[in-house]
Amino acid sequence: MTAIEPHRVVAVVGTGTMGQGIAQVALVAGHTVRLYDAVPGRAEQAATALAARLDRLVGKGRLDASARDTALTRLHPATHLADLSDAALVAEAVLERLAVKQELFAALEDIVADDCLLATNTSSLSVTAVAGALRHPGRCVGLHFFNPAPLLPLVEVVSGAATDPAAAERAYATAAAWGKTPVRCADTPGFVVNRVARPFYAEALRVYEEGAADPATIDAVLRECGGFRMGPFELTDLIGQDVNEAVTRSVWESFFQDVRFTPSLAQRRLVEAGRLGRKSGQGWYAYGADAAPRAEAHTAGPRRAPGSVTVRGDLRAAAALPGLFQEAGIDVVFKEDGGTSCPGWIELCDGARLLLADGAAADHASVPVVHFDLALDYRAATRVALAPAAAATPAALAEAVGLFQALGKDVSVIADIPGMIVARTVAMLADFALDAAARRVAAPEDIDTAMRRGVNYPRGPVEWGAELGARWVRDTLEALHEEYPTGRYAPSQALRRLAAAQEDDAS
């Protein structure tokens, strides 16, 4: 199925930030664009704002002045809905209320041609429900742009239960022709990004609520160790705490209050207090000229590194560490203890072990343990988090801190919490992604593309889970499930099956 031809008209209904962004994308792609808003005068205001947007692009050298002038001749505010009768595609970006969208599309159905696509930009409502009021629901498809639409490449192309496959393919081809990165997905709560991304926020909030670390430290560990572009607290301040909490609550309610999607009470209280983030001047952090300096991540003071360490067994996901120790001038002695079924460790003084976070609390180990967190890349990471058991001596913790400081890393010491920060977050993201793929929400490669291109994850969660190994992800979640037996961390059936298949292949 081919894209909607550039000479065909694209109409946008709803002229807020998102509507203007979609209109700009279509306009720059060469379409004649008609803008309509139910509030008189809003379409004209939006056209003026769009002209200013294009002027800024010219000023930045991203758009030729003649191209701007030509584009503006194709931009037309519409006074009446009937003015959209020649549209080949109508994209709505109106209020996130089902009745409003249904009423709009029912009215459009009497105006536009039979081959006109009706696209909803909803992020939280069911595309199937939006199309439910139509006589011909097959023409309705979800085109979920991300804000700001002109800059962010991802578009989720959502097929409702009644969407005609040809309509979905035409919408997909059109988004691609507009220079976007489209992914196909089914009509399920949160689609791909807002479904799979929930653990990134939820686990950070859980760590905070349990008092294991403060927001600045959690953000720093996920950025500097996990490789994420922004930490969840600073990101939700940017998004808006009310917006992020509303999406979480919507997904949770749509999944019949599934415990895996449970909202955070701490975030709810922040919203109730009016601390919505950057837009209100206060969220997890303060903003504005008069704001107090932002709290810094907890960073341990300098400690002396040992001259040599003993590595016992296979460090698995942290296998790069011994080589880094050697590069730092630390002698490394390898001993094949533990066996292939048991993760390896690094010996510390006083009989303590330095272990990669595995989902269990360090205090449950048979010997004193200091856990270190998972890293996207231990060579590139600039920070590592440590969590000592109560039985670990100050000398053992100091040795662990000094060991990572010798590699040039900042070290954050957090409380002993199962799964620490990065490990539990990545394990949950990988499981959510596998579960979504198994339930045919989207293909695994589309899920990874959506998470990389939509929310800038450093690695797609399916790919990341495969690198770590399904068994590691499953074992980490099973340990977390044992610590928190609520069902929140119970591994999905898809993950269990994949891990079992890997075990069969290894035997």
Side-chain angles (χ1 to χ4, degrees), residues 63 117 125-126 129 132 137 142 161 179 183-184 198 217 232 243 276 293 301 335 346 367 370 374 377 429 485:
L63 185 68
L117 287 181
L125 299 175
S126 163
V183 295
R184 300 175 179 87
R198 288 352 295 158
T217 299
V243 174
L276 307 182
K335 293 190 177 180
I346 300 165
V367 296
V370 176
L374 178 72
D377 179 342
L429 288 171

Side-chain angles (χ1 to χ4, degrees), residues 63-334:
L63 185 68
D64 184 76
S66 62
R68 172 202 58 197
D69 295 342
T70 302
L72 291 177
T73 65
R74 301 193 305 270
L75 180 62
H76 305 288
T79 306
H80 305 287
L81 204 61
D83 297 338
L84 312 184
S85 61
D86 59 346
L89 165 67
V90 180
E92 69 79 13
V94 300
L95 292 174
E96 281 288 274
R97 294 178 186 170
L98 179 59
V100 173
K101 294 179 188 290
Q102 287 180 326
E103 182 179 354
L104 169 64
F105 279 166
L108 284 167
E109 198 171 32
D110 293 330
I111 294 170
V112 298
D114 291 343
D115 64 347
C116 177
L117 287 181
L118 300 180
T120 173
N121 185 60
T122 184
S123 61
S124 60
L125 299 175
S126 163
V127 174
T128 301
V130 171
L134 295 175
R135 296 190 304 275
H136 304 291
R139 65 162 69 185
C140 184
V141 63
L143 272 182
H144 181 213
F145 288 79
F146 288 75
N147 192 31
L151 296 180
L152 294 186
L154 185 71
V155 177
E156 292 176 322
V157 181
V158 187
S159 292
T163 300
D164 188 327
E169 287 306 307
R170 190 159 173 80
Y172 181 96
T174 299
W178 290 357
K180 294 301 181 181
T181 302
V183 295
R184 300 175 179 87
C185 62
D187 183 23
T188 59
F191 309 140
V192 176
V193 170
N194 281 331
R195 173 182 178 143
V196 176
R198 288 352 295 158
F200 180 68
Y201 311 107
E203 294 311 307
L205 287 161
R206 186 71 173 261
V207 171
Y208 167 75
E209 287 173 336
E210 293 189 24
D214 60 275
T217 299
I218 296 168
D219 277 351
V221 170
L222 281 162
R223 281 196 320 268
E224 300 169 36
C225 186
F228 293 92
R229 185 168 298 184
M230 295 182 73
F233 294 97
E234 59 188 343
L235 180 55
T236 52
D237 267 0
L238 177 63
I239 294 169
Q241 296 300 331
D242 53 338
V243 174
N244 183 261
E245 201 264 351
V247 171
T248 298
R249 186 168 296 276
S250 173
V251 173
W252 174 63
E253 291 174 348
S254 296
F255 277 115
F256 307 105
Q257 301 186 354
D258 186 327
V259 68
R260 295 176 303 160
F261 299 97
T262 302
S264 162
L265 181 59
Q267 188 177 39
R268 173 97 293 255
R269 292 291 180 261
L270 204 67
V271 173
E272 290 172 341
R275 297 188 168 191
L276 307 182
R278 289 180 180 271
K279 62 186 177 184
S280 71
Q282 178 72 53
W284 295 109
Y285 304 105
Y287 302 91
D290 298 329
R294 180 180 293 193
E296 295 185 359
H298 168 77
T299 302
R303 298 291 186 272
R304 179 177 298 177
S308 65
V309 294
T310 298
V311 175
R312 294 187 176 270
D314 183 2
L315 297 183
R316 300 184 181 178
L321 284 177
L324 297 178
F325 295 151
Q326 290 172 326
E327 291 176 17
I330 298 170
D331 291 333
V332 179
V333 178
F334 295 93

Side-chain angles (χ1 to χ4, degrees), residues 299-384:
T299 302
R303 298 291 186 272
R304 179 177 298 177
S308 65
V309 294
T310 298
V311 175
R312 294 187 176 270
D314 183 2
L315 297 183
R316 300 184 181 178
L321 284 177
L324 297 178
F325 295 151
Q326 290 172 326
E327 291 176 17
I330 298 170
D331 291 333
V332 179
V333 178
F334 295 93
K335 293 190 177 180
E336 295 301 323
D337 290 16
T340 57
S341 63
C342 178
W345 67 88
I346 300 165
E347 287 189 352
L348 297 173
C349 64
D350 298 334
R353 296 178 179 180
L354 184 60
L355 281 170
L356 176 63
D358 58 4
D363 279 338
H364 294 344
S366 58
V367 296
V369 164
V370 176
H371 275 135
F372 63 94
D373 212 347
L374 178 72
L376 173 68
D377 179 342
Y378 282 103
R379 180 179 293 278
T382 58
R383 182 178 299 271
V384 172

